[in-house]
Amino acid sequence: MASNRPEKIQPVDFIEGLYKKNIKSEELLEIFVKNMHMFQSSIYDKKLSDDSLSLLVHLIARVCDCTKQKRNREICQLLKRLSESPLFKNRSITLLLGKTRNYSRDHSVQCLLSDYLTILQEINLRIPRLATTPQVRRLVEHLKEQISECDDLEDKGMMIDIVMETMKGIGHIAGERSRAKQDAEDKFVPPDDFRTVSVIPEQNDILNIPKFLRRNKVFGKYLNLDHYLDVQFRLYREDCVSPLRDALLEFKKKDKENWKENIRLEHGLLYKNVKVMKQIISIESGEVFEIKLDPEHRKRINWGNGKRLIYGTLLLVSFDRFNSIFFAIVAESETKILQKKGSFTVQVFRYGNKQKLPRNTDGIIIESNSSYFEAYRHVLKALQQIREETSPFTKYLVHCENEVRFLSYISKHHVYDLRPVIKNCRIDLDNTNRRTLRNTFPKQAPINIATLSEEDWPSTEMFGMDESQRKAFIAALTKEFVLIQGPPGTGKTYLALQIAKTLLHNTNRLNMNSKGKDEKYTRNARRIATKPYMLVVCYTNHALDQFVQGIIDFMPETALGSSYPEIVRFGSRSKNPKFEELSIKNIRSRVRLKSQFPRDEVLKEASKAKRKIKEIRETIEALKSKNIVLWFDEIKCVLTKKFASQFGEKFVWLQWLNVSEQSWYEEVNKHYQNQQNDEAIKNLLGGFAAKLEAVEFVSLISEKETAYSVRYLEVDDVDFSLNTNTIGLDLDMQYENELHKTNKLEKKCKLILRLEKEKAARELHYGKAMSEGQVKTIKSIWTLSKKRSLESV
């Protein structure tokens, strides 16, 4: 029997039927609104051909031509659904690619591109927030490329103008939204002071993305200096930590999938079966540990290709597949030694003193291949130390002032001596002529002098610079805040050297010509430090070496010949052997050789300090874990003179506390006199033990984890073992000694001695402090009751 229900219309029939009717935009909109389910099915139908899709795009573009204001909401509804559909997210780009390569279809390329352009324009005008979504922005970019590639389009120039205008509008909207969002973020209160955040990452940093992270402000000023520093610190720290986090999460995922033997990381470098061999004391790095790589793995590494385990690299170390993590920084490593022996040294950081670094145990190391911790470390520390009174250029970096002031250390009519730059000769550091060059050189020779007025400066030909370099050179010597940038090969290094040459040559004159409100400060500063200093910071060691060589070339020869040269290179990773004499490492070595404390003495003092540290630690551990009564000499420092004078010797002190051997045997006699049997004593002992477990003991020291970033010093290599007799009476030891004195002690006596030991130990850990008034009422401690009833505990 045939069904009377009408046959369901398919999306392809619905689209082609509307296209052939050539309906006006208002009527077409009405049909789409009434058949919203069919419109929805069409834009989500994966089986529609490209031809049908291009017709659907044409129909939607015609709907956008509807100008009636009252239909705006319905048009926006259609466009919203369209922007979220697979048609916009995926198929539009393939549709455009297909159309631009095939001209045999009914719907022309010109029409398709115009239709998409119309739809994107309407989205930008009617629903600006949708225009900034990734799918819309991606489609606009692709449409621009397709229009540019089609050479035979009519009105191609106009179409490109329209799409460029659309892109500009979308960019403006995105910028406004970003600024509004960031303005809201600016008011967020940080969860903690960034100055207290550890520069060395913690385990939580490696396992989790930070919850509080604000974007760098591209537009507008910061609220204050702390706002600026907080944003920069957290972003910079996350930039350093995130590559290690990615590498660790990748390892955990592959390890969970049982890639036990052949794990290779895309986000980092992995070293398995590494061992901590020994502890070393280094003059440069302090306490370090020698790490040895697995011999088989070491042989497979191409040490000549890429940088591995270089000085300053932050490593993740674990001996339980990263359930617990140690953070290590490479302290010393040489490629030849790594290649031959597979050993290097690290500084190890951890949080709290409960973590111990296993020796001769197989572990795993993860190294980031995209961030160099040493470069981040010092900048992060410097950011934490900046304060309002010491912050440079706050008015430009934080408050965004765009009028750059003159240099504070020169007067308005200051004259530079530019002879070393123009004549390309060495500078004179000893020129201390107090007269200005305006009086020394005639006006007929302007090539040697220059004031702050740009017209007075030598020409580009005299400088040997182009115009942009000349302007940058003048700005650097007259403005207090200057940024000079440009692509490779534009002469930035050369220009920087000319600026350094000019400043160093004129330093004495700059100090002497300073006037105004800073004159008094300048005079005082000159008394304190007679030599000028200039700090040059470069991004790479290679760039730094280039700059050092450039400075050496124009410095006087006498500046490099002394024991302490005028140029000091910080860092020990220079590849130029000529700079060894200028390294801070070598200069420090010379100072140590001349000092009264040579290297051996320093190591000797370090060992003494470590021995003392170990003694203190073992004393604390003994007091925490053992039943020890401190000797009177140890405790009298906390007693008042009135009470301390009532104890003559340590035996009296022990007798008063009821913990001496004599006191214990007095209690033994009392139990015998009371005719208590073994069972009664066992019951007392058992009841006491039950109460003891229920009591929460007072902690002798704080169990709080060691402060962030404080290195836990390994002292196991020091030959020291604490003798508890030096600090007090060990009750456990006294009890054992009494049992071994004679074999004639009967069982009952042993039980009573044990009971006395447990009672004394219990009272060591428990006690109610007296009030100040109660203390004042005590005239003699011997009037206090010695009775310690277990029931009263």
Side-chain angles (χ1 to χ4, degrees):
M1 183 175 177
S3 174
N4 293 325
R5 289 182 300 173
E7 187 175 350
K8 185 178 179 180
I9 300 176
Q10 297 299 318
V12 62
D13 300 324
F14 175 72
I15 293 168
E16 290 182 358
L18 290 177
Y19 181 76
K20 291 176 182 178
K21 290 180 181 179
N22 197 22
I23 306 172
K24 291 182 179 180
S25 59
E26 289 82 3
E27 187 179 348
L28 186 59
L29 175 61
E30 187 69 33
I31 293 172
F32 274 150
V33 171
K34 287 183 178 179
N35 298 274
M36 187 59 72
H37 66 285
M38 184 57 67
F39 175 79
Q40 190 86 359
S41 299
S42 301
I43 59 178
Y44 277 84
D45 193 343
K46 296 180 181 179
K47 297 180 180 179
L48 278 180
S49 65
D50 285 355
D51 283 330
S52 297
L53 281 176
S54 62
L55 297 180
L56 177 59
V57 170
H58 181 71
L59 292 173
I60 296 171
R62 284 175 58 189
V63 167
C64 291
D65 289 336
C66 180
T67 57
K68 292 186 177 180
Q69 187 65 31
K70 63 181 180 179
R71 309 306 295 268
N72 183 60
R73 186 178 63 83
E74 294 167 338
I75 295 174
C76 290
Q77 185 182 8
L78 291 177
L79 292 176
K80 184 177 183 300
R81 296 196 179 194
L82 174 67
S83 68
E84 296 169 350
S85 70
L87 172 58
F88 239 51
K89 290 182 177 179
N90 305 316
R91 297 202 60 184
S92 287
I93 292 178
T94 57
L95 179 63
L96 285 169
L97 281 171
K99 275 294 181 182
T100 55
R101 294 173 185 169
N102 190 337
Y103 295 91
S104 63
R105 301 179 183 179
D106 295 335
H107 198 55
S108 68
V109 177
Q110 175 85 34
C111 186
L112 182 66
L113 295 176
S114 297
D115 290 339
Y116 268 108
L117 192 55
T118 299
I119 293 171
L120 291 170
Q121 270 187 293
E122 292 301 315
I123 290 176
N124 186 37
L125 292 172
R126 296 177 187 266
I127 325 173
R129 62 182 180 82
L130 282 184
T132 59
T133 57
Q135 61 267 27
V136 174
R137 300 185 76 166
R138 185 172 62 247
L139 189 53
V140 173
E141 290 280 354
H142 193 73
L143 183 62
K144 174 194 168 187
E145 293 176 9
Q146 297 305 311
I147 293 174
S148 301
E149 290 177 6
C150 292
D151 297 327
D152 54 350
L153 289 177
E154 296 179 11
D155 301 323
K156 179 179 177 179
M158 184 181 70
M159 292 179 71
I160 290 179
D161 289 343
I162 294 173
V163 77
M164 291 298 293
E165 190 65 30
T166 303
M167 290 176 68
K168 184 178 178 181
I170 291 174
H172 179 72
I173 294 167
E176 289 293 330
R177 292 189 68 195
S178 177
R179 282 193 288 273
K181 185 176 181 180
Q182 193 167 51
D183 288 343
E185 285 181 356
D186 290 347
K187 298 175 183 177
F188 293 165
V189 179
D192 49 14
D193 185 351
F194 75 94
R195 292 185 176 89
T196 64
V197 176
S198 167
V199 171
I200 306 293
E202 302 176 38
Q203 186 157 319
N204 185 54
D205 296 318
I206 295 297
L207 298 177
N208 302 295
I209 297 173
K211 295 180 180 179
F212 186 84
L213 200 64
R214 294 179 287 186
R215 293 169 294 177
N216 184 39
K217 285 182 74 70
V218 180
F219 301 100
K221 61 183 180 179
Y222 288 83
L223 299 178
N224 49 47
L225 178 63
D226 274 7
H227 177 207
Y228 170 77
L229 294 173
D230 182 271
V231 170
Q232 304 306 319
F233 178 88
R234 294 180 195 274
L235 285 175
Y236 202 61
R237 188 173 184 270
E238 174 61 13
D239 190 51
C240 171
V241 172
S242 60
L244 269 176
R245 184 190 304 123
D246 294 340
L248 176 60
L249 294 179
E250 182 187 357
F251 169 81
K252 282 181 167 286
K253 180 181 178 183
K254 291 182 177 180
D255 191 47
K256 192 175 181 181
E257 295 170 355
N258 295 319
W259 292 23
K260 298 293 184 185
E261 299 300 326
N262 300 313
I263 297 180
R264 295 180 66 88
L265 302 180
E266 294 180 10
H267 297 94
L269 301 171
L270 187 68
Y271 306 90
K272 293 168 52 175
N273 301 325
V274 301
K275 288 184 174 67
V276 178
M277 303 305 295
K278 59 183 178 180
Q279 180 189 13
I280 306 168
I281 299 297
S282 164
I283 293 294
E284 287 77 22
S285 305
E287 181 194 45
V288 295
F289 296 88
E290 182 184 336
I291 304 285
K292 194 161 188 179
L293 300 177
D294 177 56
E296 292 301 319
H297 185 194
R298 169 172 53 85
K299 292 175 184 177
R300 297 195 300 269
I301 296 174
N302 182 4
W303 295 103
N305 185 18
K307 296 180 179 179
R308 286 174 174 261
L309 300 173
I310 62 173
Y311 167 80
T313 301
L314 180 64
L315 308 174
L316 301 183
V317 186
S318 182
F319 299 90
D320 54 8
R321 307 195 82 78
F322 293 99
N323 291 318
S324 59
I325 300 173
F326 295 88
F327 297 90
I329 298 174
V330 178
E332 292 290 338
S333 71
E334 295 293 339
T335 304
K336 291 181 180 179
I337 297 176
L338 281 168
Q339 192 169 1
K340 187 176 180 180
K341 299 181 179 179
S343 61
F344 60 102
T345 60
V346 297
Q347 286 178 292
V348 178
F349 295 80
R350 74 215 85 179
Y351 298 91
N353 55 11
K354 295 179 182 178
Q355 287 182 296
K356 297 291 183 183
L357 196 64
R359 308 291 177 85
N360 297 310
T361 304
D362 285 345
I364 301 173
I365 288 178
I366 290 178
E367 174 187 5
S368 168
N369 53 12
S370 59
S371 70
Y372 181 50
F373 178 71
E374 191 67 11
Y376 289 88
R377 181 183 186 179
H378 301 291
V379 176
L380 290 170
K381 285 185 175 179
L383 288 172
Q384 288 181 320
Q385 293 168 3
I386 294 175
R387 295 294 189 272
E388 191 73 42
E389 60 275 11
T390 60
S391 172
F393 309 124
T394 303
K395 54 180 171 286
Y396 306 119
L397 298 175
V398 178
H399 304 300
C400 298
E401 291 185 15
N402 51 21
E403 270 192 40
V404 184
R405 303 174 188 177
F406 289 127
L407 290 165
S408 59
Y409 53 79
I410 61 175
S411 64
K412 186 176 181 182
H413 302 291
H414 174 76
V415 179
Y416 280 104
D417 180 5
L418 301 175
R419 284 175 297 177
V421 175
I422 295 171
K423 295 182 179 180
N424 194 24
C425 60
R426 291 181 181 269
I427 65 173
D428 180 10
L429 289 178
D430 298 325
N431 188 349
T432 56
N433 185 6
R434 293 180 176 272
R435 292 176 296 170
T436 65
L437 289 176
R438 185 177 296 279
N439 298 328
T440 306
F441 299 99
K443 291 184 178 179
Q444 289 80 0
I447 62 170
N448 290 330
I449 58 174
T451 64
L452 292 180
S453 177
E454 190 172 330
E455 311 81 63
D456 297 332
W457 290 76
S459 64
T460 56
E461 291 78 12
M462 291 180 180
F463 274 140
M465 306 174 184
D466 59 33
E467 186 57 34
S468 63
Q469 289 175 329
R470 178 178 178 270
K471 287 182 177 179
F473 179 76
I474 295 172
L477 295 176
T478 56
K479 304 291 185 181
E480 67 175 357
F481 185 75
V482 176
L483 172 65
I484 301 172
Q485 58 185 4
T490 53
K492 296 185 297 298
T493 303
Y494 167 77
L495 185 62
L497 284 168
Q498 300 309 307
I499 294 167
K501 179 190 281 191
T502 304
L503 288 173
L504 287 171
H505 181 71
N506 287 271
T507 302
N508 290 325
R509 298 185 181 90
L510 293 175
N511 286 339
M512 292 175 185
N513 287 341
S514 296
K515 293 183 179 180
K517 60 181 180 180
D518 295 328
E519 188 175 0
K520 183 178 179 181
Y521 170 80
T522 305
R523 286 200 306 269
N524 292 336
R526 214 166 35 245
R527 283 195 213 103
I528 297 169
T530 57
K531 288 189 176 182
Y533 296 96
M534 177 183 291
L535 177 65
V536 177
V537 182
C538 296
Y539 187 69
T540 64
N541 281 306
H542 176 69
L544 182 59
D545 285 345
Q546 277 189 314
F547 212 93
V548 170
Q549 184 60 60
I551 292 179
I552 289 174
D553 291 342
F554 67 67
M555 289 286 281
E557 294 179 358
T558 55
L560 305 174
S562 64
S563 299
Y564 305 109
E566 299 284 344
I567 303 173
V568 179
R569 187 193 186 280
F570 286 84
S572 56
R573 302 296 149 193
S574 174
K575 294 184 178 180
N576 192 333
K578 292 193 303 182
F579 300 153
E580 280 300 307
E581 291 299 312
L582 304 178
S583 71
I584 187 66
K585 180 179 178 181
N586 278 325
I587 294 174
R588 282 174 176 164
S589 297
R590 290 177 215 159
V591 173
R592 282 197 293 269
L593 288 173
K594 292 184 177 181
S595 69
Q596 298 177 353
F597 299 99
R599 183 177 184 274
D600 291 342
E601 287 297 320
V602 173
L603 293 178
K604 186 177 178 181
E605 290 298 318
S607 296
K608 285 172 62 177
K610 289 179 68 175
R611 191 178 186 279
K612 187 64 177 176
I613 291 171
K614 189 171 184 180
E615 180 183 353
I616 293 170
R617 285 184 185 167
E618 291 196 8
T619 300
I620 292 172
E621 290 300 318
L623 293 174
K624 285 170 62 180
S625 59
K626 293 186 177 181
N627 299 322
I628 296 177
V629 180
L630 292 176
W631 298 127
F632 178 69
D633 289 340
E634 300 287 336
I635 203 73
K636 68 180 181 181
C637 61
V638 297
L639 297 176
T640 63
K641 289 183 178 180
K642 180 179 75 171
F643 293 140
S645 63
Q646 298 182 44
F647 298 102
E649 52 183 324
K650 69 178 182 180
F651 176 77
V652 177
W653 167 252
L654 298 178
Q655 187 181 20
W656 184 75
L657 290 174
N658 243 24
V659 293
S660 65
E661 294 177 45
Q662 179 183 340
S663 300
W664 284 5
Y665 279 106
E666 287 177 2
E667 296 298 324
V668 170
N669 289 331
K670 290 179 183 178
H671 282 281
Y672 272 96
Q673 290 173 7
N674 293 334
Q675 299 296 316
Q676 288 179 302
N677 56 33
D678 292 358
E679 196 62 34
I681 298 172
K682 284 182 180 178
N683 288 337
L684 282 174
L685 197 58
F688 175 79
K691 288 186 178 182
L692 193 63
E693 290 179 3
V695 174
E696 181 180 353
F697 287 177
V698 177
S699 177
L700 294 177
I701 64 169
S702 172
E703 295 181 357
K704 187 178 179 181
E705 293 280 74
T706 306
Y708 291 150
S709 302
V710 176
R711 188 175 61 206
Y712 182 80
L713 190 66
E714 282 284 353
V715 293
D716 292 339
D717 59 327
V718 176
D719 184 18
F720 175 81
S721 181
L722 178 70
N723 180 3
T724 54
N725 285 332
T726 60
I727 61 172
L729 173 67
D730 189 331
L731 298 181
D732 293 326
M733 188 73 68
Q734 177 170 275
Y735 171 67
E736 294 296 330
N737 289 339
E738 293 302 319
L739 295 184
H740 290 90
K741 273 184 179 180
T742 175
N743 295 325
K744 296 182 180 180
L745 282 179
E746 59 183 53
K747 183 178 179 181
K748 180 177 180 179
C749 184
K750 291 179 181 179
L751 284 173
I752 298 171
L753 285 175
R754 183 182 169 195
L755 178 63
E756 289 305 311
K757 191 263 292 188
E758 296 294 345
K759 285 166 61 178
R762 170 67 185 88
E763 291 176 0
L764 280 176
H765 294 279
Y766 179 83
K768 188 175 181 181
M770 287 185 173
S771 66
E772 198 171 323
Q774 288 175 318
V775 172
K776 289 180 179 179
T777 60
I778 300 171
K779 302 300 181 184
S780 171
I781 58 169
W782 299 102
T783 60
L784 294 174
S785 173
K786 295 183 183 179
K787 294 181 180 179
R788 298 291 186 268
S789 172
L790 290 177
E791 289 77 11
S792 65
V793 172

